Amino acid sequence: MSQPYITHLGKFLPGEPIDNDQMEAFLGLINGKLSRVKRRILASNGIRQRHYALDQQQQTTYFNHQMAAAAVRNALDNSHLDPATVDLLCAATTWPDLLVPGFASMVHGELQEFAPLEATSHQGVCCAGVAALKYAATQVSQGQKRCAVAVASELASRLFKHTQFEAQPAIQAGKAVPFDTEFLRWMLSDGAGAMVLRSRPNAEGISLRLDWIELVSHANAHPVCMYAGVESTQGRSWMDYPSGADAAAAGATHLRQNIRLLDQVVQLGVEGWLRLIEAGRIRPTEIDWLLCHYSSHFFRSQIVALLEKANAMIPEERWFTNLYTRGNTGCASIYLMLEELFHSGKLQPGQTIFCFVPESGRFTTAYLKLTVVAGTAPLQPVPAAHPAVATAMPPPIFASQGGTFGSQSGTGPGSESGVTDASAPPASTDVHAELLRQLTLTWLEFERQLQSVPLIRQLNRGEFTLDSYRALLRNLRPQVVEGARWIARAASNMENFQVRSHFISHAQAEHRDFQMLEQNYVAVGGTLTDIVNAEQNLGSEALSAFIFHRASQLNPVDLIGSMFIIEGLGSRLARRWAEQIQQQLGLTRDQVSFLAYHSENDDSHTDKLNAFFQAEWITAEIAARIVKTAQVTARLYRLQLEEIVID
């Protein structure tokens, strides 16, 4: 196998840039009225310009496959390659012009200068372009193809023409466009990018060695987030309506996005990123350029916050994006970012590029690592944006490496414990930084796995019932009642005065929480006798036994890890659950006060815990114990929720 190289890149952007004030001139006014939410959404996403393959009469100026073909020609024009040498075409899009035939066939049909070749179509959302690139790279690296072209193109604007919405009787009558659709109207735009891949770099200039690609779907554990073809995720397909006109009238052909799930997409993507760090596939200090496909400036701050919490932040001066001038072009976005950076004159041989592409469709994440390499001819020096970092020759494409607590070898994240033996040599990396990274990974994995718990899946699907809520409260009560007890026991065995004081104050704050929970249970039709006498389920028994066992040991500082998980549930998930339960069941705030209270008060407890993670007395051995206790607590807490049976 040989390493594939991206030797040339091209783009196609239809028409002149369109600023925010011009958008409705191209998309049209719905019912002749200006949008009420446009300015708010644009202020959040930060996009100032974009391109549309529409004119001001809302007529399409280029088909999607024509834009893709134009981007391919632009890449080949830059390469001076004979188009007949291309023997593989991989084309990606979210929404092709035709249902049949495949998108790649339509693109190939536009490229009449090409010879007969293998053509593959890749349909999805933001990660479809990465899927096309991965197939092309694999074929080149295996020697199956000599010269491959990967192209990604999007034509979203025609989905948001005013006439698309005015086909609905409700909107004709003056009803507002659903926010999950109008939100996207001010987010998405048009464009195409293309890459040429070969088994050797350019003789002159630079090339990008494609070291590896990771592409992972998490659809098995997550609901649909971005979709089209149904009026709701529980509705019938647009093809099951009596006619296409009936489907349009019902709104089944609109592109929609459940914005309440978007923070989970970001968290899932960052979790995968941290796992690549753990496995030694990428090191933050060696990244010279980070290309992150975030759909809105709003989500950039969330990514930054998670990376900073995990001590894996890449300085923002090393981030590169053109979101603000190109808009969100879906699966073409990462192509257009790489194309602009490639031709910017900023890249230097030896620099490392890391790309991160989260997809909301049904939770897919993609990651790419590339290395800038020089050709055989001498290069004129180009000022670098920041010093180049020399990198060693990487492993074969798609290969993996191991990782461990505080080092880059030994026990990895796939091991039984996930942490290093306490007798191991001192960590080569900062213990506090590694502790934060491991805990962040533990939390993100825990939150992701909760999505597969039947009760939580029922909540996320909008199918929660009063029986479900009562069962949740009944099964949470034993843990809440025992919380103050195990915290007090742990405090009595604690040698560290600061930790002991924190545990004692925390026990005082927790000791009456169960009464609020009981009041909520009675307020939704349960009886006090039932909840007080309810038996612990298997998960609750196991969680209680483990935590009380640890609390009975001398100096059980590792229980900070248990607090990290339990308090994290309060500060990160309780508010969302309270809002979902209140909305689905039509309850008052007082009837979900237990969950709401913890979402508002556990933040202060979490801040105090974070201070302990930076304490001078944290050694590699203590850190490993904290992480393992957090991991066990997370697993047993999930078991507690999995064991909830709804009557």
Side-chain angles (χ1 to χ4, degrees):
M1 293 178 64
S2 61
Q3 292 293 119
Y5 294 85
I6 299 171
T7 58
H8 299 87
L9 295 94
K11 70 176 185 297
F12 181 78
L13 298 168
E16 295 298 318
I18 296 168
D19 64 29
N20 292 349
D21 292 334
Q22 296 175 291
M23 294 178 74
E24 284 177 300
F26 286 84
L27 299 177
L29 298 174
I30 299 175
N31 288 335
K33 298 178 181 178
L34 293 170
S35 169
R36 295 180 178 180
V37 300
K38 169 190 164 186
R39 292 191 179 280
R40 175 162 59 93
I41 295 171
L42 289 171
S44 177
N45 68 33
I47 300 171
R48 301 187 300 272
Q49 291 182 333
R50 76 283 297 146
H51 292 259
Y52 289 150
L54 291 178
D55 60 23
Q56 295 195 33
Q57 287 71 48
Q58 290 80 55
Q59 297 300 306
T60 300
T61 55
Y62 299 94
F63 288 120
N64 198 358
H65 60 268
Q66 290 175 329
M67 293 198 301
V72 171
R73 287 194 179 103
N74 183 240
L76 290 174
D77 287 346
N78 294 331
S79 72
H80 305 294
L81 289 170
D82 181 354
T85 62
V86 176
D87 52 2
L88 174 62
L89 174 65
C90 304
T93 191
T94 299
W95 202 302
D97 303 294
L98 279 68
L99 296 178
V100 177
F103 185 59
S105 295
M106 296 303 297
V107 177
H108 189 205
E110 285 291 314
L111 297 166
Q112 296 185 12
E113 65 271 32
F114 276 36
L117 48 65
E118 180 180 352
T120 64
S121 300
H122 303 262
Q123 187 270 336
V125 194
C126 300
C127 287
V130 180
L133 178 60
K134 183 169 185 176
Y135 183 78
T138 302
Q139 291 293 295
V140 170
S141 68
Q142 292 178 350
Q144 298 293 318
K145 303 297 178 184
R146 296 170 301 163
C147 182
V149 171
V151 59
S153 182
E154 299 284 23
L155 206 173
S157 60
R158 59 188 172 188
L159 302 175
F160 302 114
K161 296 187 294 185
H162 67 103
T163 50
Q164 297 279 10
F165 303 100
E166 291 167 356
Q168 289 185 256
I171 292 177
Q172 291 174 10
K175 185 177 180 180
V177 176
F179 188 78
D180 58 0
T181 291
E182 183 158 13
F183 171 77
L184 294 173
R185 197 176 193 227
W186 313 117
M187 298 281 287
L188 301 178
S189 51
D190 306 339
M195 304 180 190
V196 178
L197 292 92
R198 306 183 75 190
S199 59
R200 61 182 184 275
N202 290 318
E204 297 183 351
I206 60 171
S207 300
L208 303 179
R209 186 181 67 221
L210 186 47
D211 298 329
W212 51 257
I213 297 176
E214 290 285 349
L215 186 65
V216 185
S217 167
H218 298 277
N220 64 303
H222 292 272
V224 172
C225 179
M226 188 174 184
Y227 56 96
V230 289
E231 190 273 330
S232 71
T233 55
Q234 304 301 315
R236 55 179 170 168
S237 167
W238 67 276
M239 293 183 291
D240 293 321
Y241 285 83
S243 69
D246 290 323
T253 56
H254 294 333
L255 185 64
R256 304 171 185 271
Q257 188 171 54
N258 185 343
I259 61 172
R260 291 169 291 280
L261 297 177
L262 291 179
D263 60 338
Q264 296 179 39
V265 178
V266 171
Q267 291 176 8
L268 190 67
V270 173
E271 179 191 348
W273 184 338
L274 296 178
R275 294 206 174 281
L276 290 170
I277 295 173
E278 286 293 296
R281 305 288 298 282
I282 196 74
R283 296 179 179 87
T285 56
E286 295 180 358
I287 295 174
D288 297 285
W289 296 98
L290 170 64
L291 277 61
C292 182
H293 169 58
Y294 45 87
S295 60
S296 167
H297 183 79
F298 174 81
F299 297 114
R300 177 174 176 141
S301 60
Q302 292 189 4
I303 296 169
V304 168
L306 285 169
L307 291 177
E308 287 180 339
K309 183 174 292 185
N311 209 56
M313 181 59 184
I314 297 166
E316 290 196 68
E317 61 267 21
R318 299 187 180 187
W319 292 42
F320 182 89
T321 184
N322 53 17
L323 171 72
Y324 312 112
T325 56
R326 297 284 189 261
N328 178 359
T329 52
C331 71
S333 291
I334 197 66
Y335 283 63
L336 291 172
M337 276 191 272
L338 278 168
E339 187 277 337
E340 186 170 330
L341 179 61
F342 187 84
H343 292 118
S344 68
K346 297 177 180 179
L347 295 178
Q348 288 286 288
Q351 289 187 329
T352 296
I353 302 172
F354 180 60
C355 304
F356 167 40
V357 183
E359 174 184 303
S360 65
R362 193 158 183 174
F363 293 83
T364 302
T365 53
Y367 313 89
L368 299 80
K369 178 176 176 286
L370 307 102
T371 301
V372 184
V373 298
T376 55
L379 287 173
Q380 295 297 319
V382 179
H386 42 265
V389 178
T391 56
M393 193 67 180
I397 190 168
F398 314 136
S400 63
Q401 298 172 327
T404 184
F405 190 96
S407 70
Q408 295 298 336
S409 62
T411 306
S415 68
E416 183 176 348
S417 67
V419 295
T420 329
D421 190 314
S423 62
S428 60
T429 58
D430 181 76
V431 169
H432 299 95
E434 192 66 17
L435 173 60
L436 289 171
R437 184 154 51 241
Q438 293 265 8
L439 286 173
T440 302
L441 260 175
T442 300
W443 170 262
L444 291 174
E445 180 180 26
F446 172 56
E447 185 171 347
R448 170 173 55 82
Q449 291 176 340
L450 284 181
Q451 309 311 310
S452 298
V453 173
L455 192 76
I456 305 304
R457 293 186 73 169
Q458 186 187 49
L459 180 61
N460 289 336
R461 288 173 174 172
E463 301 170 355
F464 217 62
T465 66
L466 277 174
D467 284 340
S468 307
Y469 183 38
R470 286 192 289 263
L472 175 64
L473 294 175
R474 265 197 318 273
N475 285 271
L476 287 180
R477 182 185 179 277
Q479 171 226 308
V480 176
V481 170
E482 293 176 351
R485 298 172 184 168
W486 70 255
I487 294 172
R489 180 179 296 186
S492 68
N493 290 312
M494 201 73 69
E495 294 180 335
N496 185 295
F497 176 76
Q498 289 180 316
V499 181
R500 182 196 304 163
S501 297
H502 173 71
F503 273 48
I504 291 172
S505 63
H506 194 62
Q508 292 173 337
E510 295 279 326
H511 81 290
R512 294 192 182 275
D513 284 1
F514 72 92
Q515 294 177 340
M516 190 184 306
L517 186 151
E518 292 172 350
Q519 291 167 3
N520 286 176
Y521 186 78
V522 172
V524 293
T527 68
L528 188 60
T529 301
D530 285 345
I531 194 170
V532 169
N533 295 326
E535 289 189 12
Q536 287 184 312
N537 68 42
L538 296 180
S540 297
E541 291 275 11
L543 179 62
S544 177
F546 170 73
I547 292 184
F548 271 103
H549 169 71
R550 295 305 310 155
S552 301
Q553 308 304 305
L554 180 63
N555 202 30
V557 292
D558 58 301
L559 283 174
I560 294 174
S562 292
M563 285 186 169
F564 173 78
I565 295 297
I566 295 171
E567 300 300 331
L569 274 162
S571 63
R572 296 181 178 92
L573 296 181
R575 177 182 291 108
R576 185 196 309 162
W577 290 353
E579 291 173 352
Q580 288 176 289
I581 292 169
Q582 184 178 356
Q583 181 181 23
Q584 291 179 33
L585 302 182
L587 303 179
T588 65
R589 181 76 167 179
D590 288 344
Q591 291 171 305
V592 295
S593 58
F594 171 75
L595 292 173
Y597 166 80
H598 278 276
S599 72
E600 295 163 359
N601 289 272
D602 283 357
D603 279 341
S604 60
H605 298 317
T606 302
D607 290 341
K608 292 176 182 176
L609 287 177
N610 289 337
F612 284 127
F613 298 145
Q614 301 289 345
E616 293 183 359
W617 47 264
I618 295 285
T619 64
E621 180 181 359
I622 292 174
R625 286 170 54 201
I626 291 172
V627 170
K628 186 169 184 179
T629 297
Q631 291 170 337
V632 174
T633 302
R635 179 63 190 95
L636 295 179
Y637 202 107
R638 177 159 60 95
L639 180 62
Q640 174 181 243
L641 295 177
E642 289 171 343
E643 289 291 321
I644 294 178
V645 178
I646 302 170
D647 297 332

